[in-house]
Coordinates of all heavy atoms in Angstrom, one line a residue:
S1 N 0.8 -1.2 0.0 CA 0.0 0.0 0.0 C 0.8 1.3 0.0 O 0.4 2.3 -0.6 CB -1.0 0.0 1.2 OG -2.0 -1.0 1.0
E2 N 2.0 1.2 0.6 CA 2.9 2.4 0.6 C 3.3 2.9 -0.7 O 3.7 4.0 -0.9 CB 4.1 2.2 1.5 CG 3.8 2.1 3.0 CD 3.4 0.7 3.5 OE1 3.0 -0.1 2.6 OE2 3.5 0.4 4.7
M3 N 3.2 2.0 -1.7 CA 3.7 2.3 -3.1 C 2.5 2.8 -4.0 O 2.8 3.1 -5.1 CB 4.3 1.0 -3.7 CG 5.6 0.6 -3.1 SD 6.9 1.8 -3.5 CE 7.1 2.5 -1.8
K4 N 1.3 2.8 -3.4 CA 0.2 3.2 -4.2 C 0.3 4.5 -4.9 O 0.2 4.6 -6.2 CB -1.1 3.2 -3.4 CG -2.4 3.6 -4.1 CD -3.6 3.4 -3.3 CE -3.6 4.4 -2.1 NZ -4.9 4.3 -1.3
E5 N 0.7 5.6 -4.2 CA 0.8 6.9 -4.8 C 2.0 7.0 -5.7 O 2.0 7.8 -6.7 CB 0.8 8.0 -3.7 CG -0.5 8.1 -3.0 CD -0.6 9.2 -2.0 OE1 0.5 10.0 -1.9 OE2 -1.6 9.4 -1.3
V6 N 3.1 6.3 -5.4 CA 4.3 6.3 -6.2 C 3.9 5.9 -7.6 O 4.3 6.4 -8.6 CB 5.4 5.4 -5.6 CG1 6.5 5.3 -6.6 CG2 5.8 6.0 -4.3
I7 N 3.0 4.8 -7.7 CA 2.6 4.3 -9.0 C 1.6 5.1 -9.7 O 1.7 5.4 -10.9 CB 2.1 2.8 -8.8 CG1 3.3 1.9 -8.3 CG2 1.6 2.3 -10.2 CD1 2.8 0.5 -7.9
T8 N 0.6 5.5 -9.0 CA -0.5 6.3 -9.6 C 0.0 7.7 -10.1 O -0.5 8.2 -11.1 CB -1.7 6.5 -8.6 OG1 -1.3 7.1 -7.4 CG2 -2.4 5.1 -8.4
D9 N 1.0 8.2 -9.3 CA 1.5 9.5 -9.7 C 2.6 9.4 -10.8 O 2.8 10.3 -11.6 CB 2.1 10.3 -8.5 CG 1.0 10.7 -7.5 OD1 -0.2 10.7 -7.9 OD2 1.3 11.0 -6.4
G10 N 3.4 8.3 -10.7 CA 4.6 8.3 -11.5 C 4.5 7.5 -12.8 O 5.3 7.7 -13.7
L11 N 3.6 6.5 -12.8 CA 3.5 5.6 -14.0 C 2.6 6.3 -15.1 O 1.4 6.2 -15.0 CB 3.0 4.2 -13.6 CG 3.1 3.2 -14.7 CD1 4.5 2.9 -15.1 CD2 2.5 1.9 -14.2
T12 N 3.2 6.8 -16.1 CA 2.5 7.5 -17.2 C 2.7 6.8 -18.5 O 2.0 7.1 -19.5 CB 2.9 9.0 -17.2 OG1 4.3 9.0 -17.5 CG2 2.6 9.7 -16.0
R13 N 3.7 6.0 -18.6 CA 4.0 5.3 -19.9 C 4.5 3.9 -19.7 O 5.3 3.7 -18.8 CB 5.1 6.2 -20.6 CG 5.4 5.7 -22.1 CD 6.3 6.7 -22.8 NE 5.7 8.0 -22.9 CZ 4.9 8.3 -23.9 NH1 4.6 7.4 -24.9 NH2 4.3 9.5 -24.0
V14 N 4.0 3.0 -20.5 CA 4.5 1.6 -20.5 C 5.0 1.3 -21.9 O 4.2 1.4 -22.9 CB 3.5 0.6 -20.1 CG1 4.0 -0.8 -20.2 CG2 3.0 0.9 -18.6
K15 N 6.2 1.0 -22.1 CA 6.8 0.8 -23.4 C 6.7 2.2 -24.2 O 7.2 3.2 -23.7 CB 6.2 -0.3 -24.2 CG 7.0 -1.0 -25.2 CD 6.4 -2.2 -25.8 CE 7.3 -2.9 -26.8 NZ 6.7 -4.1 -27.4
H16 N 6.0 2.2 -25.3 CA 5.7 3.5 -26.0 C 4.3 4.0 -25.8 O 3.9 4.9 -26.5 CB 6.0 3.3 -27.5 CG 7.4 2.7 -27.8 ND1 8.5 3.4 -27.5 CD2 7.7 1.5 -28.4 CE1 9.6 2.6 -27.9 NE2 9.1 1.5 -28.4
T17 N 3.6 3.4 -24.9 CA 2.2 3.7 -24.7 C 1.9 4.5 -23.5 O 2.3 4.2 -22.4 CB 1.4 2.3 -24.6 OG1 1.6 1.5 -25.8 CG2 -0.1 2.6 -24.4
E18 N 1.2 5.6 -23.7 CA 0.8 6.5 -22.6 C -0.4 5.8 -21.9 O -1.3 5.3 -22.5 CB 0.3 7.8 -23.1 CG 0.0 8.9 -22.0 CD -0.4 10.2 -22.6 OE1 -0.4 10.4 -23.8 OE2 -0.7 11.1 -21.8
V19 N -0.3 5.8 -20.5 CA -1.3 5.1 -19.7 C -1.8 5.9 -18.6 O -1.2 6.9 -18.2 CB -0.6 3.8 -19.1 CG1 -0.2 2.8 -20.2 CG2 0.5 4.1 -18.2
N20 N -3.0 5.5 -18.1 CA -3.5 6.0 -16.9 C -3.4 5.0 -15.8 O -3.6 3.8 -16.0 CB -5.0 6.3 -17.0 CG -5.3 7.6 -17.9 OD1 -4.6 8.5 -17.8 ND2 -6.3 7.5 -18.7
A21 N -3.0 5.4 -14.6 CA -2.9 4.5 -13.4 C -3.8 5.0 -12.3 O -3.7 6.2 -11.9 CB -1.4 4.5 -12.9
E22 N -4.7 4.1 -11.9 CA -5.6 4.5 -10.8 C -5.8 3.4 -9.9 O -5.8 2.2 -10.2 CB -7.0 4.9 -11.4 CG -7.7 3.8 -12.2 CD -9.1 4.1 -12.7 OE1 -9.7 5.0 -12.1 OE2 -9.5 3.5 -13.7
A23 N -5.9 3.8 -8.6 CA -6.2 2.8 -7.5 C -7.6 2.3 -7.6 O -8.5 3.1 -7.7 CB -5.8 3.3 -6.2
V24 N -7.8 1.0 -7.5 CA -9.2 0.5 -7.4 C -9.2 -0.5 -6.3 O -8.2 -0.9 -5.7 CB -9.6 -0.2 -8.8 CG1 -9.6 0.8 -9.9 CG2 -8.6 -1.4 -9.1
S25 N -10.4 -1.0 -5.9 CA -10.6 -1.9 -4.8 C -10.1 -3.3 -5.2 O -10.0 -3.6 -6.4 CB -12.1 -2.0 -4.4 OG -12.8 -2.6 -5.4
L26 N -9.7 -4.1 -4.2 CA -9.2 -5.4 -4.5 C -10.2 -6.3 -5.2 O -9.9 -7.1 -6.0 CB -8.7 -6.1 -3.2 CG -7.5 -5.5 -2.5 CD1 -7.2 -6.3 -1.2 CD2 -6.3 -5.4 -3.4
S27 N -11.5 -6.0 -4.9 CA -12.5 -6.8 -5.5 C -12.6 -6.6 -7.1 O -13.0 -7.5 -7.8 CB -13.9 -6.5 -4.9 OG -14.2 -5.2 -5.1
E28 N -12.1 -5.4 -7.5 CA -12.1 -5.1 -8.9 C -10.9 -5.7 -9.6 O -10.9 -5.7 -10.9 CB -12.1 -3.6 -9.2 CG -13.4 -2.9 -8.7 CD -13.3 -1.4 -9.0 OE1 -13.4 -1.0 -10.1 OE2 -13.2 -0.7 -8.0
C29 N -10.0 -6.3 -8.9 CA -8.7 -6.8 -9.5 C -8.7 -8.3 -9.5 O -7.8 -8.8 -10.1 CB -7.6 -6.3 -8.6 SG -7.2 -4.6 -8.7
D30 N -9.6 -9.0 -8.9 CA -9.5 -10.4 -8.8 C -9.9 -11.1 -10.2 O -11.0 -11.6 -10.4 CB -10.4 -10.9 -7.7 CG -10.0 -12.3 -7.3 OD1 -9.1 -12.9 -7.8 OD2 -10.7 -12.9 -6.4
I31 N -9.0 -11.0 -11.1 CA -9.2 -11.6 -12.4 C -8.6 -13.0 -12.5 O -7.4 -13.2 -12.1 CB -8.5 -10.8 -13.5 CG1 -9.0 -9.3 -13.5 CG2 -8.7 -11.4 -14.9 CD1 -8.3 -8.4 -14.4
A32 N -9.4 -14.0 -12.8 CA -8.9 -15.3 -12.9 C -8.0 -15.5 -14.1 O -8.2 -14.9 -15.2 CB -10.1 -16.3 -13.1
P33 N -6.9 -16.2 -13.9 CA -6.0 -16.4 -15.0 C -6.6 -17.3 -16.1 O -7.5 -18.1 -15.8 CB -4.8 -17.1 -14.4 CG -5.3 -17.8 -13.2 CD -6.4 -16.8 -12.7
D34 N -6.2 -17.1 -17.4 CA -6.7 -17.9 -18.4 C -6.0 -19.3 -18.4 O -4.8 -19.4 -18.5 CB -6.4 -17.2 -19.8 CG -7.3 -16.0 -20.0 OD1 -8.4 -15.9 -19.4 OD2 -6.9 -15.0 -20.7
L35 N -6.8 -20.3 -18.3 CA -6.3 -21.7 -18.2 C -6.9 -22.5 -19.4 O -8.2 -22.4 -19.6 CB -6.7 -22.3 -16.9 CG -6.0 -21.7 -15.6 CD1 -6.6 -22.3 -14.4 CD2 -4.5 -21.8 -15.6
K36 N -6.1 -23.2 -20.1 CA -6.6 -24.1 -21.1 C -6.5 -25.5 -20.7 O -5.4 -26.0 -20.3 CB -5.7 -23.9 -22.4 CG -6.0 -24.8 -23.5 CD -5.0 -24.6 -24.7 CE -5.3 -25.5 -25.8 NZ -4.3 -25.3 -26.9
E37 N -7.6 -26.2 -20.7 CA -7.7 -27.6 -20.3 C -7.0 -28.5 -21.4 O -7.3 -28.3 -22.6 CB -9.1 -28.1 -20.1 CG -9.7 -27.4 -18.9 CD -11.1 -28.0 -18.5 OE1 -11.5 -28.9 -19.3 OE2 -11.7 -27.6 -17.6
M38 N -6.1 -29.4 -20.9 CA -5.4 -30.3 -21.9 C -5.4 -31.7 -21.3 O -5.6 -31.9 -20.1 CB -4.0 -29.8 -22.0 CG -3.8 -28.5 -22.8 SD -2.0 -28.1 -22.9 CE -1.4 -29.5 -23.8
K39 N -5.1 -32.6 -22.2 CA -4.9 -34.0 -21.9 C -3.6 -34.4 -22.5 O -3.2 -34.0 -23.6 CB -6.0 -34.9 -22.3 CG -7.4 -34.6 -21.6 CD -8.5 -35.5 -22.1 CE -9.8 -35.1 -21.5 NZ -10.9 -35.9 -22.0
A40 N -2.9 -35.3 -21.9 CA -1.6 -35.8 -22.4 C -1.5 -37.3 -22.2 O -2.0 -37.8 -21.2 CB -0.4 -35.1 -21.7
N41 N -0.9 -38.0 -23.1 CA -0.7 -39.4 -23.1 C 0.8 -39.7 -22.7 O 1.7 -39.3 -23.4 CB -1.0 -40.0 -24.5 CG -0.9 -41.5 -24.5 OD1 -0.3 -42.1 -23.6 ND2 -1.4 -42.2 -25.5
V42 N 1.0 -40.2 -21.5 CA 2.3 -40.4 -20.9 C 2.6 -41.8 -20.4 O 1.6 -42.5 -20.2 CB 2.6 -39.4 -19.8 CG1 2.5 -37.9 -20.3 CG2 1.6 -39.6 -18.6

């Protein structure tokens, strides 16, 4: 949490892309990773 303002104030560009950085609640961040179901013959 101590880094929140450092990031929201300082992060304006990623690679060559201008970005917005804003703090949001943890509930808005809980994105499930993309998982692909597979089977293997071993």
